Amino acid sequence: LAKHPEIKALMKPDYNLIWVVVLMVLAQLTAFYLVKDLDWKWVVFWAYVFGSCISHSMTLAIHEISHNSAFGNSKAMWNRWFGIFANLPLGLPYSISFKRYHMDHHRYLGGDGIDVDIPTNFEGWFFCTPFRKFIWIVLQPFFYAIRPLCINPKPITRLEVINLLAQLSFDVVIYYLWGVKSIFYMLAGSVLGLGLHPISGHFIAEHYMFLKGHETYSYYGPLNLLTFNVGYHNEHHDFPNIPGKSLPLVKKIAAEYYDNLPQYNSWIKVLYDFVMDDTISPYSRMKRQLKGEVKQD
C-alpha cells in the first residue's frame, strides 16, 4: 500500500454482486421447475452439468458476501441477511456458519485447532494413496461440513438458527410445489459441485504446498469467471476487503509482487497432480501453533 496507495480505491462494495446473486437464485428456481418431470437419469445429468456449477459458484458468492462485499462493512447485517437468501438454492444451511469460520481462516491461517480449512489428522493419515485421495476429493463437501465440529466447535448463534429455519422452510416449499426430483437436483448439485468437479480444484490449489515454502497460490485460468475471481488467492489474502471483481486490478497494479509467485492455470491439473503425486496429501498444509490471545467470531 505504501508503494501503491491507489489500491485503497478498490476497497469498496461490489453492488453488481447483488444482481448476480439474484439472477443465480432465479436460475436455480427455474431449474427446480424444469427438472420436476424429467426421468431420473436426466435429473442426475443436469444436477452435475448445470446445477453443480451454479451451486459451487453460489458458495463463492457467499464467500464474497461473508467479506461484506455486497453492501459494505457499514451494513454488515444486510450482508448476513443477503447471505441467507443466497444460501436458499443450496439446500443446506451454510452461509452464517461459513462466515464465522472463514474469518478465523483469514486471521489465523493454518492455526492449529482454529483454522478448520486444515484437514484432520485422520484425513492426512488415511487418504494417502491415489485411490484414497480420489475418494477424499469426492467426499470433500462432507469433510468441510464435519471438520468444524471435530476441530473447533462453536456455540450455535441466533443467526445460524434463522439460517437453518429459513433453509428448511424453503426446502419444504420446493418439495410441496415440485416434488422430490427438484429436491434431489438441489442437494445433488451442491454435493457434486463441491466434490469431484473442475471448480473444486480451488480447494486444493489455494493452500496445499506443492512447492515447499509456498503456502498460498493463485490461479489465473478461465474458471475465475464462474467463481468471483477466488483464484486470485494471494491477492485475496493480502486484501480480503477488496471484492473479487477488483482482484485482477490488484495484480495489475502491484504486478511486481505477484507475477513471479508460483501460480496455476488449470484446476483440473491441480486435482490430477494431487491424486497422482505421492508427495502430496491432506497433510500438505502449513500448520501453526498460535501464541497469544485468539479472538474468534
Side-chain angles (χ1 to χ4, degrees), residues 98-238:
F98 171 79
K99 194 267 181 186
R100 298 178 71 197
Y101 284 103
H102 188 64
M103 295 305 103
D104 294 339
H105 171 68
H106 275 274
R107 293 190 189 110
Y108 309 109
L109 180 63
D112 189 17
I114 301 295
D115 183 0
V116 299
D117 197 53
I118 299 288
T120 61
N121 287 329
F122 169 77
E123 291 171 76
W125 168 77
F126 185 78
F127 297 101
C128 56
T129 67
F131 177 72
R132 291 180 184 180
K133 286 190 285 184
F134 175 82
I135 297 300
W136 184 78
I137 290 173
V138 173
L139 298 177
Q140 273 189 113
F142 298 102
F143 287 113
Y144 271 92
I146 295 170
R147 197 182 294 146
L149 304 177
C150 300
I151 294 179
N152 185 18
K154 296 185 178 186
I156 296 174
T157 65
R158 181 178 65 92
L159 276 178
E160 285 176 307
V161 173
I162 293 172
N163 194 176
L164 172 63
L165 294 176
Q167 191 63 59
L168 289 176
S169 300
F170 178 81
D171 294 350
V172 168
V173 169
I174 295 299
Y175 177 77
Y176 177 78
L177 289 176
W178 298 321
V180 69
K181 289 182 179 178
S182 296
I183 291 291
F184 176 87
Y185 167 89
M186 174 166 52
L187 296 175
S190 296
V191 172
L192 294 171
L194 296 169
L196 187 62
H197 195 281
I199 297 177
S200 292
H202 82 86
F203 289 132
I204 294 169
E206 289 166 0
H207 297 296
Y208 282 77
M209 290 177 44
F210 281 78
L211 294 175
K212 299 294 183 183
H214 291 277
E215 182 179 0
T216 303
Y217 300 77
S218 288
Y219 156 83
Y220 299 123
L223 289 177
N224 277 307
L225 295 172
L226 297 177
T227 58
F228 301 90
N229 287 328
V230 76
Y232 288 76
H233 217 67
N234 276 298
E235 295 85 347
H236 172 61
H237 272 268
D238 284 347

